[in-house]
Amino acid sequence: MKQLHQREKQDLARILTQNGHKNAQDMVAVLDAFLSSESHQGVEELHRRLKTRGLNFSREFVREALDLFCRLGFAQAKSFEGQEVHYEHRHLGQHHDHMICTRCGRVEEFINSQIEELQFCAASEKGFVPLDHQMVIYGLCRECALQPGQEMTLGQAQRGERLVVCGYSGGSESARRLTDMGLNPGVEIEVLGSNGHGPVVVACRGSRLALGRGFSDKVKVKPAGQN
């Protein structure tokens, strides 16, 4: 990998020098810091890494450098739902897709040759010539997914989760209002919307229900399919 990164820095220096770029040396220094981490990086994270190296470039210069790397094929900008734009390396001849944990924001890269082949077959069937693609799977990482028997409140659930109501907290009045809405223990629900601030919207018995944060935090749930 070090040899690959060295070649990429040499490529950047050559391209910038050939095109009369005034800040070629500084841009190579930013690329060196960018390549030092395999994680997806935002402007702030890269700016901090440069400062630890004694390089006091402005945030605007770092953003300009990342945009330049994208234009020249050294990086790719990735915009995932609910997150700021992050950047990743674009090594020649390599392609990967992503899994995003909607609870902690963790980004996992993966490569699956069968998925790649199916995408090209689907394009070919439509007479379409693919030039680029991006697949993102949103879900819960191993650390965030509930374990068998583990419970949480509905207010902690993420959009897309299928859950079973298993109880309430907050007294008999809250329990009565929730059962009147159809959220009885044992009923299965799907979370349609939950952003941590507004109401939690769920599908329940063929209808949509919107629960304020106070009520959603009183509903105890566990993943559907668990006893």
Side-chain angles (χ1 to χ4, degrees):
M1 188 63 74
K2 288 183 178 180
Q3 184 176 358
L4 173 61
H5 290 171
Q6 184 61 32
R7 184 165 64 247
E8 291 183 335
K9 288 186 289 184
Q10 291 171 349
D11 285 348
L12 178 64
R14 185 184 68 257
I15 292 171
L16 295 181
T17 300
Q18 289 174 344
N19 287 273
H21 200 287
K22 297 180 180 179
N23 297 314
Q25 187 173 350
D26 289 341
M27 288 293 181
V28 172
V30 176
L31 180 65
D32 185 45
F34 177 63
L35 294 174
S36 68
S37 172
E38 291 299 320
S39 66
H40 294 73
Q41 303 166 62
V43 173
E44 287 296 328
E45 180 183 349
L46 183 54
H47 182 256
R48 287 194 298 270
R49 183 174 297 115
L50 287 161
K51 289 191 72 174
T52 63
R53 296 184 171 203
L55 298 170
N56 295 312
F57 299 128
S58 68
R59 288 177 178 81
E60 187 56 39
F61 182 79
V62 174
R63 183 176 288 105
E64 179 186 330
L66 288 168
D67 289 342
L68 176 67
F69 300 161
C70 290
R71 293 199 303 273
L72 297 179
F74 292 90
Q76 298 179 95
K78 298 293 182 180
S79 181
F80 301 122
E81 183 178 334
Q83 298 187 24
E84 65 172 313
V85 176
H86 279 68
Y87 300 82
E88 65 176 359
H89 308 166
R90 185 173 185 175
H91 297 312
L92 296 179
Q94 296 184 356
H95 174 81
H96 59 263
D97 294 304
H98 300 89
M99 297 179 184
I100 313 295
C101 180
T102 57
R103 184 161 289 147
C104 70
R106 181 176 179 178
V107 179
E108 290 281 355
E109 298 176 354
F110 73 96
I111 299 174
N112 187 300
S113 58
Q114 291 178 304
I115 291 176
E116 295 296 308
E117 184 177 350
L118 285 171
Q119 289 179 111
F120 279 99
C121 287
S124 178
E125 288 174 0
K126 298 293 184 179
F128 196 83
V129 179
L131 301 178
D132 194 11
H133 69 273
Q134 174 179 279
M135 187 174 84
V136 181
I137 298 175
Y138 292 96
L140 300 174
C141 67
R142 186 181 293 108
E143 286 72 21
C144 290
L146 293 184
Q147 301 303 310
Q150 188 177 355
E151 296 179 0
M152 65 179 177
T153 68
L154 180 57
Q156 296 172 303
Q158 300 294 304
R159 181 166 60 86
E161 287 194 84
R162 294 182 178 274
L163 306 163
V164 173
V165 176
C166 52
Y168 316 111
S169 63
S172 59
E173 179 61 23
S174 296
R176 183 188 64 79
R177 292 185 62 181
L178 289 165
T179 54
D180 287 347
M181 297 173 70
L183 293 171
N184 309 81
V187 72
E188 185 171 325
I189 61 177
E190 179 185 356
V191 181
L192 302 178
S194 178
N195 60 12
H197 303 290
V200 177
V201 182
V202 301
C204 175
R205 302 181 189 273
S207 298
R208 292 176 175 82
L209 302 175
L211 287 81
R213 303 308 301 185
F215 269 116
S216 63
D217 287 338
K218 293 175 182 177
V219 182
K220 297 179 181 179
V221 295
K222 61 184 179 182
Q226 294 185 7
N227 295 322

